[in-house]
Amino acid sequence: MLFLLTFVLVSSCAKSGDKQQKKVALAAAKEFPQQTDSVYVVTFTKQDPDFKEHLGLMKLFYRERQYRFAWFKDGELVPQAFKFMEVLNKAHEEGLNPQDYDRKDLKKMIQTLEQSTNDSVRHKLQEELDVTLTASYFNYASDFYRGTVNPRNLDNIEWEVKKNKIKLHKALQTILRERESRYPYYEFEALHPDYKRLREALKQYRLAKQQGGWPKIELATKMLKPGDSAQAVLTLRHRIMGKPAPNVPQSMVYDPALAAGVKNFQIRHGLKPDGVVGGETLRVMNVPIEQRIDQIIINMERWRWVPKRFEDKYVLINIPEYMLHVYEKGKEVLNMKVVVGKEMHATPVFSDKLEYIVFYPYWNVTPQILEEEIAPAQANNPNYLASNDMELVKDIGNNKVEVVSPSSVDWYSVDKNFKYRVRQRPGSKNPLGYVKFIFPNEHNVYLHDTPSDHLFNQTERGFSHGCIRIEKPFEFAQYLLKDQKQWTPSTINAAMHGGQEKYVNLTAKVPVYIVYFTSWVDDKGAVHFRDDIYNHDRDLEMAYFR
């Protein structure tokens, strides 16, 4: 009874003390208004190089709120301030370096404020803490939402995809519950589920590293096949199935269960799922876990570069995956294999909008291919154009051309200023197949059919001059024209083989994103990795981990 009475009295005193503290804070707020001014904001921000980078945001944010404190209410810190400090302490979980955001000792500043009894001093401490929290938020959120590397500021970083136009001062207003938003800014959360899945993968791989990572597999023979018996099977089993339990005997026979695990590994790494360990499979298995961790982190960084929201309908082509995906309202509705540019003719990373389809197309040879390949071939063999069903033409306006005799040209002098064009007639020899899909762009890249269907059976499909060959052109045309009722499967098929080039405009343009992700996590939670075919990972790692 005495204990309960004492507890009630102490609790009542504590509550009374809290009320009294609030009264004091409110009284101080009347004498010292809860706001700063432009001079203080600018002077404070310029003192720190990392904060100074966000001076424009600082001025905009405080100007829009008439310089009222953002992180205080009734003289007390709002809960979001403490939540933000937790976020900074966990920056490593986002693949970021917490030391980059440790510009001020926020915890110590709060303690000093709580111990202050002088109203004037307290107001100054509040002002400094409020502006520090805001500057710290912009410093962190800029990296978290936009990326630590700006791909448009570095020549060697290939990324011309539509910008992420997030407004960080609006995001902060959402966090402080001063505005509504469809985005989870108030949770300090990422915007894309693909990023979140990679973040979970990063956690798993870091844990695996702490537990010793995975062993290197060394074979006594060229390869290891299902049914073989060898000492290396023990290491392989550890690599694929996990570290074995102690004192449990392990079989040296490459059994069906282990073969199934190897095939799954091969699928996740874009390899032929034959269960044979050797060659590329062995090389990929022996990639160190530290390298995979870095690979996950830089692909998380790439997700910060994409728009904060995709359109309801869009096409995404992932170059290292050699795949095209079509999405509607966040769900995949179509996918197919693609062939992309070989390393010396790398397919560019960019975005645009698909506008029209060309059935039974001519192939207009690009100036580079004309100068480097076609012209030398025609110079050595005057019958080269004719034997490849090509013709030399001159543009005469109104989308009309005049055919020119190849013998009238000095093919040894052809350069980028050549006044004619070479085009290949539609038909079975045409490398564009029977249809192409156009999204006008400065790279002169488009999607198209191909007569070389056998290339889609390869696991690595970098064979083109930069344009993208697609596995299912008929299905893709059907999808794009599904809302244009006159285009039935039979009319599409007739146009593809109709003997005459035909242009068809889409009633609605479809966004196309050509991206470069070498790591991702699928809907079932499986982590995928692909080779850095254009060395874009290498260049990004040098910038990111500088």
Side-chain angles (χ1 to χ4, degrees):
M1 289 283 291
L2 182 61
F3 171 78
L4 288 174
L5 181 61
T6 304
F7 177 77
V8 170
L9 286 172
V10 170
S11 298
S12 300
C13 289
K15 290 179 180 177
S16 176
D18 289 344
K19 290 180 180 178
Q20 183 62 28
Q21 192 175 16
K22 287 185 178 179
K23 286 182 180 179
V24 172
L26 287 170
K30 292 178 181 178
E31 185 173 352
F32 300 96
Q34 297 283 283
Q35 66 183 57
T36 181
D37 57 55
S38 60
V39 174
Y40 184 85
V41 170
V42 172
T43 302
F44 174 90
T45 307
K46 285 184 175 180
Q47 290 174 353
D48 187 295
D50 283 358
F51 290 168
K52 184 178 180 181
E53 184 180 339
H54 309 292
L55 179 59
L57 280 169
M58 292 289 289
K59 292 194 292 186
L60 178 62
F61 175 74
Y62 278 105
R63 186 169 62 243
E64 287 190 356
R65 63 190 302 106
Q66 288 80 50
Y67 295 94
R68 288 181 295 106
F69 288 167
W71 301 86
F72 287 90
K73 185 176 182 180
D74 296 333
E76 295 184 328
L77 276 171
V78 295
Q80 292 91 326
F82 300 98
K83 173 67 174 176
F84 175 52
M85 291 169 62
E86 292 177 14
V87 168
L88 292 183
N89 289 333
K90 295 180 179 179
H92 65 283
E93 295 180 2
E94 311 295 338
L96 302 171
N97 184 358
Q99 293 180 352
D100 290 343
Y101 315 108
D102 189 21
R103 310 303 302 172
K104 300 283 185 178
D105 191 338
L106 293 170
K107 187 176 180 180
K108 185 176 181 181
M109 291 176 71
I110 292 173
Q111 289 175 343
T112 303
L113 175 63
E114 290 175 342
Q115 294 167 3
S116 174
T117 56
N118 183 287
D119 291 341
S120 176
V121 173
R122 181 179 175 84
H123 178 268
K124 286 295 182 184
L125 291 171
Q126 285 180 325
E127 182 178 34
E128 181 183 8
L129 181 55
D130 195 90
V131 177
T132 300
L133 282 165
T134 302
S136 298
Y137 174 76
F138 289 141
N139 189 36
Y140 169 80
S142 178
D143 288 352
F144 178 62
Y145 284 119
R146 293 175 174 171
T148 66
V149 176
N150 186 335
R152 289 167 181 81
N153 288 348
L154 299 174
D155 293 337
N156 62 333
I157 303 295
E158 286 285 337
W159 193 273
E160 297 176 27
V161 176
K162 187 167 66 171
K163 289 182 180 180
N164 174 0
K165 296 181 179 179
I166 183 173
K167 296 179 180 178
L168 293 179
H169 68 295
K170 297 293 186 185
L172 181 51
Q173 290 172 7
T174 303
I175 287 170
L176 297 170
R177 304 288 186 172
E178 296 175 351
R179 68 186 291 271
E180 296 294 326
S181 174
R182 69 169 70 185
Y183 304 106
Y185 300 133
Y186 62 90
E187 297 174 345
F188 298 92
E189 187 52 279
L191 305 181
H192 294 285
D194 300 83
Y195 174 96
K196 296 175 185 177
R197 289 196 288 261
L198 277 174
R199 180 175 61 193
E200 183 59 30
L202 176 63
K203 182 179 178 180
Q204 295 170 7
Y205 275 67
R206 280 176 167 169
L207 179 60
K209 179 186 175 183
Q210 291 175 5
Q211 295 173 345
W214 49 63
K216 183 177 181 180
I217 300 170
E218 297 179 343
L219 302 181
T221 56
K222 188 176 181 181
M223 63 181 63
L224 195 61
K225 303 187 298 297
D228 288 350
S229 179
Q231 184 71 29
V233 171
L234 299 178
T235 313
L236 177 63
R237 196 181 305 281
H238 180 181
R239 175 69 179 87
I240 298 299
M241 314 294 280
K243 191 174 182 179
N247 303 321
V248 176
Q250 299 291 315
S251 171
M252 289 194 293
V253 177
Y254 188 179
D255 56 37
L258 181 55
V262 169
K263 290 176 183 178
N264 180 57
F265 175 92
Q266 290 171 322
I267 290 171
R268 293 190 301 107
H269 293 77
L271 302 167
K272 183 179 179 181
D274 56 9
V276 177
V277 178
E280 280 296 289
T281 295
L282 181 63
R283 177 187 68 81
V284 173
M285 280 186 177
N286 284 333
V287 171
I289 193 169
E290 293 82 3
Q291 186 174 326
R292 291 306 188 199
I293 289 172
D294 287 351
Q295 193 172 352
I296 291 171
I297 289 173
I298 63 170
N299 280 281
M300 289 170 67
E301 172 75 354
R302 288 188 176 111
W303 274 109
R304 300 179 183 122
W305 298 345
V306 303
K308 59 185 179 182
R309 179 173 175 267
F310 287 113
E311 295 81 357
D312 286 345
K313 179 192 296 185
Y314 65 95
V315 177
L316 186 141
I317 300 156
N318 187 14
I319 295 171
E321 186 188 9
Y322 305 111
M323 287 293 292
L324 177 152
H325 306 269
V326 180
Y327 293 95
E328 278 191 18
K329 296 181 179 179
K331 301 294 185 182
E332 186 178 62
V333 296
L334 181 65
N335 66 61
M336 64 192 71
K337 298 175 183 178
V338 299
V339 171
V340 300
K342 60 189 77 171
E343 186 176 357
M344 67 179 65
H345 297 289
T347 297
V349 181
F350 72 106
S351 60
D352 217 300
K353 291 187 177 182
L354 205 157
E355 298 184 8
Y356 61 92
I357 301 172
V358 183
F359 291 112
Y360 208 65
Y362 282 93
W363 174 43
N364 292 293
V365 178
T366 65
Q368 181 180 4
I369 296 176
L370 174 59
E371 180 181 355
E372 296 177 0
E373 299 179 28
I374 305 297
Q378 177 65 19
N380 293 329
N381 175 13
N383 195 43
Y384 178 83
L385 293 186
S387 63
N388 284 278
D389 211 16
M390 293 180 173
E391 59 186 13
L392 183 67
V393 298
K394 176 183 179 181
D395 292 302
I396 58 176
N398 297 322
N399 293 323
K400 295 182 179 180
V401 299
E402 176 184 313
V403 178
V404 178
S405 171
S407 62
S408 65
V409 171
D410 178 7
W411 291 97
Y412 289 103
S413 63
V414 171
D415 57 21
K416 62 182 179 181
N417 298 316
F418 190 56
K419 61 181 180 180
Y420 301 125
R421 281 192 295 119
V422 170
R423 67 181 188 180
Q424 188 171 36
R425 299 180 187 90
S428 60
K429 291 184 179 181
N430 193 300
L432 304 185
Y434 295 104
V435 60
K436 65 179 180 180
F437 306 88
I438 306 298
F439 38 103
N441 58 83
E442 63 181 14
H443 307 286
N444 198 28
V445 166
Y446 46 86
L447 312 179
H448 64 86
D449 182 17
T450 176
S452 305
D453 291 342
H454 65 280
L455 295 178
F456 294 113
N457 295 325
Q458 303 293 318
T459 53
E460 297 181 3
R461 297 187 290 276
F463 299 110
S464 81
H465 281 81
C467 285
I468 300 169
R469 309 172 193 176
I470 65 174
E471 180 188 22
K472 305 173 184 176
F474 179 77
E475 290 87 340
F476 192 52
Q478 269 189 294
Y479 173 80
L480 294 173
L481 295 170
K482 66 178 181 177
D483 295 327
Q484 295 173 239
K485 301 304 181 183
Q486 69 274 29
W487 286 102
T488 64
S490 59
T491 55
I492 292 173
N493 186 63
M496 287 178 67
H497 303 87
Q500 184 176 358
E501 189 175 58
K502 185 177 183 64
Y503 285 67
V504 179
N505 291 321
L506 300 181
T507 53
K509 298 177 182 179
V510 179
V512 176
Y513 294 89
I514 303 175
V515 295
Y516 195 92
F517 288 102
T518 58
S519 180
W520 67 92
V521 182
D522 64 27
D523 293 338
K524 296 180 181 179
V527 186
H528 293 251
F529 295 99
R530 293 296 186 273
D531 280 347
D532 181 21
I533 59 176
Y534 295 159
N535 291 322
H536 292 343
D537 275 11
R538 180 200 62 189
D539 294 335
L540 178 53
E541 284 175 359
M542 291 177 65
Y544 191 91
F545 298 112
R546 62 191 182 280

